[in-house]
Amino acid sequence: MDAQGRGRADDVDPADQWVLNPNTGEYELRLSPSAPQSGIPGPRRAAPSPTRAGAPAGRTATPVAPGRDVPPPRRRRSAPPEEPLPGRRGRRPVKQKSKAKKALLWTGGTMAFVLVAGATTGYFYLKHLEGNVGTTDVGDAAASSFSKDEAFNILIIGTDKRTGEGNEGYGDAGSVGHADTNILLHVAKDRTNATALSIPRDLIVDIPDCETKQEDGSETVVAGQEDVRFNRSLGESGRDAGCTMRTVEAATGIKPDHFVMADFNAVKTLTTAVDGVEVCVEKAVDDKKSKLVLPAGTSKVEGEKALAFVRTRHAFGNEGDLDRIKVQQQFLGSLMRKMTSGDTLTSPTKLLKLAEAATNALTVDKAIGKVGTLKDIALELKKVPTKNISFMTIPVKDNPAETVKATVVVEETQAPAIFDAIKNDVSFTEVKKQEKKEKAEVAARLKGTKSAAADVRVRILNGGAAAGSAQQQLAYLQTQAGVTKSDNAGNAEAALAKTTLEYAPDQADQARRLADIMGLSGSAMKPGKSVTNAQGLPAMTLTLGKDFKGAGVKLNSSAAAAPGVDKSTADKAQCAS
């Protein structure tokens, strides 16, 4: 981070030379005439402008970033003497009420990427950061590119590999780096929300066969395994992050598009870069194993203490991995709030330290290892409000095959609804959506009497929803909504963007009941004719379109239900217990 030749008294921290241009609202690199050059590649300095008449002798115009037309300051008569030029040591940018107010950080360096990338001169620094990031070619386990116009899933992996000084007390000695902490981050297509789904390392899964590339460039297939811990999907037998991605898809049906992997050092360096993160504990902690000592209430942790906080299993709850996951989620929420605070966003020094710390700690798939892609992801993440980032854990239960409980299995009564909501891009928080006002005659279709659910007769077609949706919705209607006179009619002849319900005039009361159960709008209701069901009786036709959000999820709801599942959001502080 420091300029070359560090240690001399006249060294200048490059971070102090990034200043906020009030005309553009962006940070720019400005060097004073006597400032030493940064060791980080940067643009050539503009030639100094001729000295103005009446200007103090020896002063030159402030160099500006290429492409920025920033006029020099003017002095009016009787005005006080000019302040020193921006960029001199000790000067800090004025805190602005900027568009960064709603910024979101997920993985460590995201916010730093965003703000540094805002200036033309930042491109050269981003190229430097790109050189810090490690990449792994995981083949078709990852998407070949990043799309700014689609929902995306990033698998965040924290390994238990010991690297760097001071990490001898963590992880398994000689570990190749297992998938110790795992979070599947789903970012919605419209960027109104995101879901961070934790995957327990002790979850029993089937690891599929996976192709991996060796150091010599050759490829080999690592054989899969059945009924093993999830954390063995990485490291063991040469498995790479692509194997972990494939395991996530096999276990949840959700395909990760990309991965970001970090080791123990990430927590230490990131928390130090932002001068610590606030955590809260309900009771005082004195854990001999992790050496974590905290008083009850709120404390600030960084470096070694921050790592001990997220690693300890013996200070909270039942001293198990599931309780540790909750603590890690609370910690991540606090870290995100700190990184998006005005104190961090207006400090070039913190931002650049954060960028260096993050990129040096990360390994990603090849498709997102380029500077332009990292910037694009950062800008998309920036759009998501922290209040709409939900932290959840895959619903699990103790492994019934074990006498001594050490592992867990998926809770089949709860988990599928969570997986379906994520696959169908449904938020777990209420988000504002622009709804078009329906015409009076269309809205009137919802007004009137409603028949009993048991009297509703409907045939269900899949006209563009995810495979299996018709059967899943049928099961929901029959077992939970009371619509027992319903059946699955297979696939529709043509795909539809919107779900529709066609009904005959004498079935209007049935249509209104089903519309109420499913959250259908007036425009989704199509007066027409009835069809004959399997019992030879007249029935309505429900065609599930691409907008179908999953069994039991109302189409007019902005949030999916997750009954019995613990959930928290990134904007609220919580105390670990």
Side-chain angles (χ1 to χ4, degrees):
M1 288 294 298
D2 293 335
Q4 287 182 345
R6 67 183 67 193
R8 298 195 308 267
D10 59 349
D11 279 348
V12 176
D13 188 336
D16 289 333
Q17 298 170 311
W18 286 78
V19 297
L20 187 69
N21 182 342
N23 292 341
T24 64
E26 297 175 342
Y27 286 101
E28 298 175 355
L29 182 64
R30 297 189 184 178
L31 306 177
S32 58
S34 59
Q37 297 299 307
S38 167
I40 299 170
R44 293 183 179 177
R45 293 175 51 197
S49 301
T51 304
R52 298 187 280 110
R59 175 171 289 181
T60 59
T62 306
V64 297
R68 304 290 186 203
D69 184 14
V70 182
R74 301 190 180 197
R75 285 186 61 191
R76 292 177 290 183
R77 291 183 182 178
S78 72
E82 293 177 310
E83 294 184 3
L85 287 173
R88 291 189 175 177
R89 195 161 183 81
R91 295 275 293 168
R92 295 292 184 220
V94 177
K95 189 172 181 179
Q96 301 282 326
K97 291 183 180 179
S98 68
K99 29 193 175 181
K101 183 178 179 182
K102 295 183 179 178
L104 159 73
L105 169 84
W106 176 244
T107 55
T110 296
M111 184 52 59
F113 286 142
V114 172
L115 296 200
V116 173
T120 304
T121 51
Y123 171 80
F124 297 93
Y125 186 69
L126 284 172
K127 292 299 289 184
H128 162 75
L129 293 178
E130 181 180 302
N132 292 346
V133 180
T135 60
T136 300
D137 186 352
V138 295
D140 61 5
S144 59
S145 61
F146 172 74
S147 173
K148 294 188 287 185
D149 302 319
E150 299 294 334
F152 61 91
N153 302 312
I154 296 181
L155 179 62
I156 301 166
I157 306 170
T159 77
D160 60 359
K161 188 173 184 179
R162 295 181 180 180
T163 57
E165 292 185 24
N167 291 328
E168 295 81 7
Y170 300 100
D172 298 324
S175 172
V176 292
H178 298 104
D180 192 57
T181 299
N182 311 278
I183 298 175
L184 180 63
L185 174 67
H186 171 80
V187 180
K189 182 176 181 178
D190 62 8
R191 309 305 187 238
T192 60
N193 66 92
T195 301
L197 183 68
S198 291
I199 305 171
R201 68 175 190 176
D202 295 327
L203 178 67
I204 295 300
V205 296
D206 292 340
I207 301 175
D209 296 345
C210 58
E211 292 184 3
T212 60
K213 291 199 172 183
Q214 308 302 300
E215 291 184 4
D216 61 3
S218 63
E219 294 186 2
T220 187
V221 176
V222 180
Q225 290 178 283
E226 295 182 352
D227 295 330
V228 295
R229 280 181 167 90
F230 180 88
N231 67 341
R232 295 174 64 179
S233 64
L234 179 70
E236 190 169 300
S237 303
R239 294 188 178 106
D240 60 16
C243 297
T244 309
M245 297 173 75
R246 297 179 197 274
T247 303
V248 169
E249 183 177 11
T252 67
I254 305 168
K255 180 176 175 58
D257 299 303
H258 306 286
F259 82 87
V260 172
M261 184 164 61
D263 58 24
F264 293 138
N265 285 316
V267 173
K268 294 164 66 172
T269 56
L270 289 174
T271 54
T272 299
V274 295
D275 293 337
V277 173
E278 280 195 353
V279 297
C280 179
V281 294
E282 289 187 358
K283 299 178 181 179
V285 174
D286 188 358
D287 182 9
K288 306 301 181 186
K289 292 191 176 182
S290 67
K291 299 180 176 61
L292 177 65
V293 179
L294 289 175
T298 301
S299 300
K300 187 169 79 168
V301 296
E302 64 178 279
E304 192 71 32
K305 183 171 281 191
L307 179 57
F309 183 81
V310 298
R311 288 289 302 160
T312 182
R313 284 190 301 159
H314 303 284
F316 308 112
N318 297 320
E319 302 187 10
D321 188 49
L322 296 179
D323 291 300
R324 186 178 66 164
I325 286 174
K326 291 180 182 178
V327 172
Q328 290 172 344
Q329 291 173 345
Q330 293 163 12
F331 175 84
L332 286 172
S334 182
L335 178 61
M336 293 163 67
R337 291 191 297 274
K338 180 63 180 285
M339 289 178 173
T340 58
S341 69
D343 187 47
T344 300
L345 295 176
T346 57
S347 171
T349 300
K350 286 184 182 179
L351 288 171
L352 296 186
K353 285 180 180 178
L354 186 56
E356 288 287 347
T359 53
N360 275 306
L362 299 181
T363 300
V364 303
D365 58 279
K366 284 195 123 182
I368 63 172
K370 295 297 182 183
V371 60
T373 310
L374 289 173
K375 183 190 73 173
D376 288 344
I377 292 176
L379 291 172
E380 294 308 306
L381 289 173
K382 176 182 173 182
K383 299 174 183 178
V384 185
T386 53
K387 68 177 182 178
N388 289 334
I389 303 173
S390 299
F391 286 107
M392 308 177 73
T393 302
I394 290 180
V396 295
K397 61 184 179 182
D398 288 334
N399 187 350
E402 295 176 334
T403 302
V404 178
K405 303 304 181 185
T407 62
V408 293
V409 296
V410 170
E411 173 55 80
E412 294 294 347
T413 63
Q414 295 177 319
I418 305 297
F419 300 155
D420 285 345
I422 293 175
K423 283 189 290 186
N424 290 290
D425 202 24
V426 181
S427 173
F428 289 97
T429 59
E430 290 290 341
V431 293
K432 291 182 179 179
K433 293 183 180 289
Q434 285 295 109
E435 299 288 349
K436 291 183 178 179
K437 193 171 183 179
E438 293 184 330
K439 293 181 180 179
E441 63 269 22
V442 173
R445 296 171 187 169
L446 296 170
K447 297 177 182 178
T449 59
K450 301 180 182 71
S451 68
D455 294 330
V456 173
R457 292 190 297 270
V458 62
R459 306 201 75 195
I460 306 172
L461 293 169
N462 190 334
S469 292
Q471 186 60 36
Q472 292 167 12
Q473 182 64 8
L474 175 67
Y476 168 77
L477 290 175
Q478 290 184 339
T479 61
Q480 297 185 52
V483 183
T484 54
K485 297 173 182 176
S486 50
D487 60 83
N488 183 353
N491 293 326
E493 293 181 0
L496 299 178
K498 300 289 185 180
T499 297
T500 62
L501 175 62
E502 185 177 358
Y503 58 97
D506 61 349
Q507 296 172 317
D509 55 345
Q510 295 183 46
R512 286 190 286 268
R513 172 57 65 192
L514 189 59
D516 182 61
I517 292 172
M518 294 189 59
L520 297 175
S521 65
S523 60
M525 300 174 68
K526 305 293 183 184
K529 60 183 181 179
S530 64
V531 294
T532 302
N533 67 10
Q535 289 75 41
L537 298 172
M540 302 180 293
T541 301
L542 173 67
T543 305
L544 305 179
K546 293 180 180 178
D547 63 337
F548 180 70
K549 300 179 179 181
V553 180
K554 289 193 174 186
L555 287 165
N556 61 355
S557 172
S558 63
V565 178
D566 288 337
K567 183 187 73 172
S568 61
T569 52
D571 63 320
K572 295 178 181 177
Q574 292 183 302
C575 291
S577 59

